[in-house]
Amino acid sequence: MEYGRFVSYVENENQIIMQFENRQVILEFLKEDVFNIFVPLWSDSHRSKAVEEKKSVPVRINADYKNKELLLETERLSVRIQDGFYMDVYDSRRRLLLSDYRGERKTGAAISSGEMEQLAAEGHDTSHLQKGSYQVQTVKALEKEDAFYGLGDKSGFLNKRDYEYENWNSDIPQAHTEDFHALYKSIPFLICKKKNGAYGLFFDNTFHSYLNLGKESEAYFYYGADDGNLDYYFLGGETLKDIIGNYTWLTGTTPLPQRWTLGYQQSRWGYVCAKDIQEVAETYRSLKIPCDVIHLDIDYMDAFKVFTWNEKDYGKPGALFEELKTKGYKPVTIIDPGTKMEPDYFMYEEGMERGYFATTEDGDVYVNVVWPGEANYPDFGRKEVSDWWGAHHKFLTDMGVCGIWNDMNEPASFKGPLPDDVVFYDGERKTNHAEIHNVYGHFMAKATFEALKEQTGKRPFVITRACYSGTQKYSTVWTGDNQSLWAHLQMTVPQLCNLGMSGFAFCGADVGGFGADATPELMCRWVEAACFSPLFRNHSAMGSRRQEPWQFGQEVVEISRKYIELRYRFLPYIYDLFYQGEKTGLPVMRPLILHYEDDPQVRSLNGEFLVGEQILAAPVLEQGVVKKIVYLPEGIWYDFWTGERLEGGRYLLRDAPLDMCPIYLKAGSLIPMYEPMQYVGEKPYDTLRILSVPGEGTYEHFQDNGEDYAYRKGEYNLYRFTQDKEGNVATELLHENYPKYDRIIIEPLKDGCIC
Ligand code: GLC
């Protein structure tokens, strides 16, 4: 993309409209430390699905053109622009943050076509080897210490430096490994932590896009896309937390969920009848392992037709749910987009009659194959289609379904990929699959969220597999079809941390692994590691070994109970993190780099994580290992299990037999806890315990009904606890408009955990 010489510029409020010889570029400040670059290659204005409200506050910009350079300054940033649209961005301390790369790119395939043929002959995937320049592209200079985070669910490790990725939502049943370029989600938000300073980049373009973060060259990284505009945001901030704050200010934060959604959840593809579900529900209760949710996979439908019920195996519609509810369960059902092509099936008939399905260029309804066989794809980008789809959820919500799990919405297709030219709409505008693919799941999740909100009046619980930036406003996500492999247990930590850094505070991986067979040891370690994961769902595939804790013997039952109970003890702490996150955009599960930015030890630390700021979890993630090398960052920490005081800023070796997940608490922490129950709502939460860890500290705790939107009208309590050096804890009520706890008990950590 040649821009040519800088010709002129005009200022229009927050916008600087620059004319280069060959192109126009619009730079718009949205805040003192956030700006957008827009090169209209495809449309005159933004067509964002992620940024749904116009975000902009007045910004004082100083613009000055001299010595063939345009200098733009706000209170927080200065941007220097030269001929060829080469741009450099500095922070308020004049540190260079981001710089366009001025040299040549080493484009072109590094491999000959002959070699490519040989690889293909043996069945190797060569699609990702065809490199070159992209229609939409920007190349930025790279420095030795630059580390990268974010990008949603990409496989591999925490630090994305030196890898390459693609954004093209993909249904991947094979074991996810670090050389995969794309999984189910497209979240083109990247955080770069530099030796000094940091910044974020959000590339808001839904077409197939590519990020090469130092693999092609140590001198630069690039972003490219097959089509669309060059439309990206520079997100500044003093800290990584500010950068995430700015990104979620733009694209939305994860809203506070219902409290029960944070409880433990059981699922399996292959609970083939109501009896299977009933047995699972009863066994959890009889073994006294807490559980809030049971998921119904595609088995509950009649011939995998959405919004139908398999009466033969699942009984009278509604009866199973009534029974589950008496035991405190909240049922969640799966809904896939692929709508069976079958005359007389009401969804097919209605969709056809109203023209609601995607079509070929010739106007025929597009057909591919998913679970129900030949199926059609609802065109969710049109409001009337989303409304229609949403309205059909009433069949389920009326029966007592409490949440909806959206799957196969990449969209998945068993008979080859959907061609790029399949016709979809964006509102009234006719477009095609190439543009809509990456937002198909986003549209579906949004439609589901809106329907549940209207039909239940509660905070919707939607889980989606595919999504785009901004979907966090509507849905939690899970990481798709992982497997019962130690490598996948290891991957969940960086994967969920990066999802959290990308705005998706509510995320989880299938506990125990979806495909392949779990072992008792893997199951224990997985429950220990996932006990702090925001979405805590055990799920497995038909044909794999069953994965409820009792399938693996008594020891697994006991260890599962211990950690699931621990989760229920920590419930108010996790709920508080969601309450705060709705305002700040910060995740629940955090890589250490988020709070210890300048500690080089944590730049690529994959095996431990923080929960909020106060808890550090260091689960064992390897087979046969009974000691954990734990890195404690600077400061004083306390061992949760023993109460031992530990100096941070060092590694330590912690005994970690099978039932031990090392957990540490930061000095001065005050952690709210509840007595574990078998499910949320079993008994009233009338007693709050505050686990007090030595040291000065303050903590704010939020209390409300945990279900609806009354808190947004002020129906909640906000407590502030303050601990002094001597360990005295003072309680203040910062906001009071909800029945208070009967008792607040302060429990000093002393010799370790209170459980
Ligand atoms: C997909 C989902 C999985 C689900 C299965 C059957 O593979 O990722 O979670 O169980 O489809 O619906």
Side-chain angles (χ1 to χ4, degrees), residues 261-281:
T261 66
L262 305 179
Y264 181 69
Q265 318 196 3
Q266 180 65 56
S267 179
R268 179 170 172 85
W269 172 27
Y271 288 148
V272 293
C273 56
K275 199 164 138 281
D276 277 356
I277 302 260
Q278 285 153 339
E279 267 172 26
V280 168

Side-chain angles (χ1 to χ4, degrees), residues 2 31 55 238 270 293 386 417 530 595 624:
E2 290 294 325
K31 281 173 88 170
K55 291 280 183 184
E238 285 293 307
V293 183
S386 277
H595 288 281

Side-chain angles (χ1 to χ4, degrees), residues 104-286:
E104 286 290 304
R105 242 198 78 191
K106 300 190 231 159
T107 49
I111 190 158
S112 71
S113 50
E115 288 168 324
M116 198 99 86
E117 272 168 31
Q118 285 177 40
L119 282 167
E122 206 200 347
H124 297 276
D125 176 15
T126 54
S127 57
H128 62 288
L129 295 173
Q130 290 144 20
K131 295 285 156 45
S133 273
Y134 298 100
Q135 170 137 348
V136 179
Q137 182 171 297
T138 182
V139 187
K140 309 292 187 196
L142 194 55
E143 287 183 332
K144 194 165 189 310
E145 280 87 359
D146 291 355
F148 291 108
Y149 308 100
L151 288 186
D153 67 339
K154 303 293 184 242
S155 56
F157 301 98
L158 183 68
N159 182 354
K160 300 299 184 199
R161 169 72 193 247
D162 293 337
Y163 290 90
E164 64 180 330
Y165 298 100
E166 292 176 36
N167 292 302
W168 187 252
N169 293 353
S170 307
D171 173 17
I172 311 258
Q174 299 86 356
H176 308 155
T177 55
E178 71 250 34
D179 77 331
F180 276 74
H181 291 189
L183 289 179
Y184 306 86
K185 303 168 181 62
S186 289
I187 304 163
F189 168 55
L190 187 67
I191 302 177
C192 177
K193 171 73 189 115
K194 305 188 73 66
K195 185 162 183 225
N196 295 304
Y199 63 86
L201 289 173
F202 168 42
F203 300 97
D204 195 5
N205 175 325
T206 68
F207 289 90
H208 196 147
S209 64
Y210 310 81
L211 278 147
N212 189 303
L213 304 176
K215 183 185 157 196
E216 185 171 280
S217 161
E218 59 184 14
Y220 60 80
F221 69 99
Y222 72 74
Y223 164 83
D226 285 344
D227 206 340
N229 299 310
L230 181 63
D231 184 352
Y232 71 91
Y233 295 82
F234 176 93
L235 303 137
E238 285 293 307
T239 63
L240 296 180
K241 294 193 273 304
D242 294 341
I243 293 165
I244 296 172
N246 275 336
Y247 172 70
T248 51
W249 169 75
L250 198 63
T251 61
T253 62
T254 300
L256 179 68
Q258 295 193 59
R259 190 184 286 111
W260 62 262
T261 66
L262 305 179
Y264 181 69
Q265 318 196 3
Q266 180 65 56
S267 179
R268 179 170 172 85
W269 172 27
Y271 288 148
V272 293
C273 56
K275 199 164 138 281
D276 277 356
I277 302 260
Q278 285 153 339
E279 267 172 26
V280 168
E282 270 159 35
T283 315
Y284 270 106
R285 295 291 178 255
S286 68

Side-chain angles (χ1 to χ4, degrees), residues 171 173 184 267-270 297-299 334 336 371 405 407-408 410 414 465 478 480-481 510 514 537 539-542:
D171 173 17
Y184 306 86
S267 179
R268 179 170 172 85
W269 172 27
D297 206 321
I298 48 172
D299 320 274
I334 199 168
D336 294 347
W371 298 128
W405 164 23
D407 189 20
M408 310 296 281
E410 291 69 33
F414 298 165
R465 192 169 74 173
W478 96 105
D481 295 350
D510 286 346
F514 173 72
R537 183 183 76 155
H539 180 49
S540 57
M542 179 190 280

